[in-house]
Amino acid sequence: MPKEWTAKQDRQYEHIKDSEKEQGASTKRAKEIAARTVNKNRAQAGQTKTASRSSVQDKSPQQRGGERSGTNKPKGPTRDQLYNEAKKKNIDGRSKMSKADLARALGRN
């Protein structure tokens, strides 16, 4: 952990690293993910001397919430999120629809 990190950033790094290891990532990969997350937050807060445009202008890692994670799981909103949107739009039959059906009914294909 770099000397420039605050105590809070050290704790965040350790928490992310432990969480990634629990999810099956190797120690090396967990450390990399944790460091990148903390460094991106530092760049967005203006605590670094240099920062890439994508680090500063992109969503924070907390907002992104794994949208670009390297898994084979389906991306995008959950079925519950789609259901709530369908409920707001008063789409009939929404309670019996699958995630794919809800996405089609909302015009998300």
Side-chain angles (χ1 to χ4, degrees):
M1 292 168 278
K3 294 178 185 177
E4 306 90 38
W5 288 6
T6 64
K8 181 179 179 179
Q9 290 164 339
D10 284 340
R11 288 190 309 272
Q12 181 184 25
Y13 170 84
E14 290 297 329
H15 176 74
I16 294 168
K17 183 179 74 166
D18 293 343
S19 176
E20 289 296 323
K21 286 170 73 174
E22 285 175 15
Q23 294 176 35
S26 68
T27 301
K28 182 179 176 183
R29 180 69 176 148
K31 286 179 178 181
E32 179 184 355
I33 291 169
R36 285 177 185 241
T37 301
V38 172
N39 286 331
K40 185 169 185 177
N41 287 334
R42 289 183 67 240
Q44 289 180 335
Q47 297 174 343
T48 58
K49 292 178 184 173
T50 60
S52 69
R53 185 174 38 212
S54 63
S55 286
V56 177
Q57 293 177 349
D58 201 11
K59 289 181 179 179
S60 73
Q62 290 77 12
Q63 287 175 317
R64 183 158 308 288
E67 284 179 10
R68 284 195 228 158
S69 65
T71 66
N72 292 329
K73 295 178 185 174
K75 308 287 190 276
T78 64
R79 185 207 176 270
D80 290 338
Q81 290 169 329
L82 292 170
Y83 175 83
N84 289 333
E85 188 176 336
K87 187 175 180 180
K88 286 179 187 173
K89 294 185 177 184
N90 205 21
I91 295 175
D92 289 331
R94 64 186 173 266
S95 63
K96 293 183 171 121
M97 290 184 184
S98 67
K99 180 178 177 179
D101 294 335
L102 287 166
R104 268 192 296 280
L106 292 167
R108 293 215 174 179
N109 287 353

